[in-house]
Amino acid sequence: MSQSHSSDNIAPVPVIQVDEAVKEVPSGSSEEPSAIDKMRLKMRPLLLYVVSLAQFLDIVNGTSVSVALIPIAENLNFEASQTLWIINAYTTAFAGFLLFSGRLGDLFGHRRLFMFGLFWFATWALVVSFSSSPVMLAIARALQGVSAASTVPTALALISTNYPAGPERTKAISIFGAFGGMGAVAGLLMSGGILAAAGWRWVFRVSSIVAYILLILGFLTIPIIPAKNEAVKIDYVGAITATLGVTGVVYYISIGVDYGWADSKTLPILIIGLVLIAAFIYTESKVQSALMPLRVWRNRAFSASTVLAFVSMAMAQGTMYNVNMVFQRIYRWNAIQTALGFLVHALLAVVVFATLGRVLSRLRLKPLVLIGFLLRCATGLMFAFVSERCSYWRLPFPALIIHIIGVGLTLLPIQVTVVRDADNRDQGLVGAIYNTSLQLGAPFGIAILNVVAISTTTNGYSIQSDSVDLMRGYRNAFFGIIALGLVGFVIALIFLPWDRSSRPSKESIQECEAVVDMEVDAAIATNTVKDAIINDSK
């Protein structure tokens, strides 16, 4: 770099600031920013933590409701077959509206939809807390799920559009993912404390209060981007077919285990859902203002990462479900003992995600994904050898440690690669497709592995089954997890592109320095012209 310009002289005169100054010259004065604008500028560094806390809140809410499932069902007199709708109403609406909400964020502004989602979440969480019947709670939970469909993809889009591609965006997305890991721990601890102290209704009331606080912080930290001048066209046919189609498939996967995969209550819904998804894809190839422009799938990194996200979440949920079954039905642990058994997994998630958030921008991502899938296969193999006489410290404890490291090494890099090369105009859509893949993978993993386990036991999951018979089914489920891991490994190996190192080369550094020198010279020249104009006007 030229010695005539020190680094101290560069920061105050970026090109955009000089251009703005020149534009103000004809008027002879600049407009004083309002107090809110000044506060928003000072608080803008908090943007990452506001959108990360929104995802954190969503995961806390999901974990808390899972823990509070039985108290809610008993208090509101849910029938046994209705209990799952406390969770399914939320997840089905969430998955169904993700694509539509993500695209609305691209069209009308990510900030606007994110703020709406927070308000909607807070409001319906409060309504849920006052539920007096199963129907009221299920409807309110479904509407709460719509709010999560508005905040989660737009949160990821706000990070992608406010942080430049490269190490800075990678680190921001890693921090975003780390908050997700912490949400699982906080949900477990918070729900237990609130349930013991104040009851299940305050689980939702606390979530509502936090969401309203985030709404205020979002107003002060997220920059306002001027609305587009052109008229916005919405693909209503695509929105309807995508929403109903995905909702139908998620509904089928969620209840198929209980009612049967070929039952008259489930199979027609799957067929209708698949037909609607096919109609959606056909529509998107024909309309001009598509809800999901098919161009996004031409990006190899995005396509591979979306499939890997599905496989990864299927493995994660399948693993956690079957480990939970081993703890409760093989070890005969109660709920508190089971929670303590998972504690090392939850606490280590914070450490793993936080550490990866600091170093991920300096590492190649594809090798991490490959190693992560192999570690998760090792977890399945270790649990396959668990028996009633096997000590928790001998196999389950180290297996859970290996599992969360594997999850971190797969999920965070996948989350980075899925948005890395997408255009800003498609960031909301990309985030929505990614989260839709996760939402489809979660129930699929539980359902398919549950079928494997039940079909290989003598009495299914009946009370008469002994621990040896049950473990035979769980062991085959863990073998299924290994198979999923190997599928993920092969897909990543073949289709996931090799990314370049984020560290800049010496040549690129020299080029950047040369550009900065030119910009500084131009800025000084522009300021000189500006001073001359002002002096002449005087």
Side-chain angles (χ1 to χ4, degrees), residues 156-495:
L156 196 57
L158 283 168
I159 292 175
S160 299
T161 54
N162 281 280
Y163 292 87
E168 192 173 350
R169 183 183 294 178
T170 299
K171 184 176 180 180
I173 293 176
S174 300
I175 292 173
F176 180 74
F179 271 83
M182 290 187 288
V185 182
L188 186 67
L189 300 177
M190 187 189 82
S191 58
I194 294 177
L195 282 170
W200 68 267
R201 297 182 186 275
W202 276 97
V203 170
F204 295 99
R205 289 168 187 168
V206 170
S207 296
S208 177
I209 293 169
V210 174
Y212 279 125
I213 294 173
L214 283 179
L215 180 65
I216 297 171
L217 291 175
F219 176 78
L220 296 174
T221 57
I222 303 174
I224 298 176
I225 297 176
K228 300 177 182 179
N229 294 326
E230 66 269 16
V232 175
K233 296 180 181 180
I234 299 177
D235 176 16
Y236 291 105
V237 175
I240 293 171
T241 53
T243 300
L244 295 179
V246 173
T247 300
V249 172
V250 173
Y251 175 85
Y252 172 80
I253 295 174
S254 299
I255 69 170
V257 176
D258 296 319
Y259 290 96
W261 302 107
D263 190 86
S264 59
K265 296 179 182 178
T266 58
L267 189 58
I269 295 174
L270 173 65
I271 295 172
I272 294 172
L274 293 176
V275 169
L276 287 171
I277 290 176
F280 167 68
I281 295 173
Y282 176 78
T283 301
E284 300 311 281
S285 66
K286 299 296 181 182
V287 298
Q288 194 171 27
S289 302
L291 180 71
M292 184 186 72
L294 299 182
R295 65 172 181 269
V296 299
W297 293 100
R298 298 192 191 108
N299 186 316
R300 185 178 169 187
F302 166 75
S303 301
S305 299
T306 302
V307 176
L308 289 173
F310 176 90
V311 176
S312 180
M313 186 54 69
M315 285 186 70
Q317 292 299 315
T319 300
M320 298 306 288
Y321 176 82
N322 283 283
V323 171
N324 182 65
M325 291 294 102
V326 168
F327 286 165
Q328 294 195 26
R329 304 203 65 180
I330 304 301
Y331 284 175
R332 309 291 180 181
W333 285 358
N334 58 33
I336 295 177
Q337 288 173 312
T338 301
L340 291 175
F342 278 114
L343 191 59
V344 63
H345 189 273
L347 293 176
L348 194 57
V350 179
V351 178
V352 170
F353 279 69
T355 303
L356 284 174
R358 299 172 69 92
V359 303
L360 202 61
S361 61
R362 300 193 295 272
L363 301 174
R364 292 180 181 271
L365 303 182
K366 182 169 179 173
L368 299 182
V369 175
L370 295 174
I371 295 170
F373 275 118
L374 291 179
L375 289 176
R376 295 168 73 177
C377 288
T379 300
L381 187 61
M382 293 173 73
F383 269 105
F385 286 96
V386 170
S387 66
E388 189 176 13
R389 295 181 298 276
C390 177
S391 167
Y392 167 78
W393 303 103
R394 182 182 174 187
L395 282 178
F397 180 77
L400 287 174
I401 293 175
I402 293 172
H403 180 257
I404 193 57
I405 295 173
V407 169
L409 291 177
T410 50
L411 199 56
L412 276 183
I414 289 170
Q415 195 172 49
V416 171
T417 55
V418 83
V419 300
R420 182 178 56 194
D421 300 326
D423 295 337
N424 283 350
R425 58 177 174 167
D426 295 326
Q427 286 292 344
L429 172 64
V430 166
I433 295 174
Y434 168 76
N435 280 282
T436 301
S437 184
L438 295 178
Q439 292 303 310
L440 289 172
F444 174 82
I446 294 176
I448 196 68
L449 294 172
N450 211 21
V451 169
V452 171
I454 292 175
S455 63
T456 52
T457 56
T458 305
N459 298 314
Y461 279 167
S462 66
I463 299 176
Q464 291 77 20
S465 300
D466 59 23
S467 60
V468 175
D469 189 35
L470 286 172
M471 194 60 216
R472 184 186 302 114
Y474 299 141
R475 181 175 295 110
N476 289 324
F478 287 120
F479 286 145
I481 290 168
I482 296 172
L484 284 173
L486 293 176
V487 169
F489 179 88
V490 172
I491 293 173
L493 182 64
I494 298 175
F495 297 105

Side-chain angles (χ1 to χ4, degrees), residues 3 6 32 97 130 166 268 280 308 348 414 433 445 455 518 526:
Q3 297 298 322
S6 67
E32 183 71 19
F97 281 88
F130 288 102
F280 167 68
L308 289 173
L348 194 57
I414 289 170
I433 295 174
S455 63
M518 293 174 62
T526 306

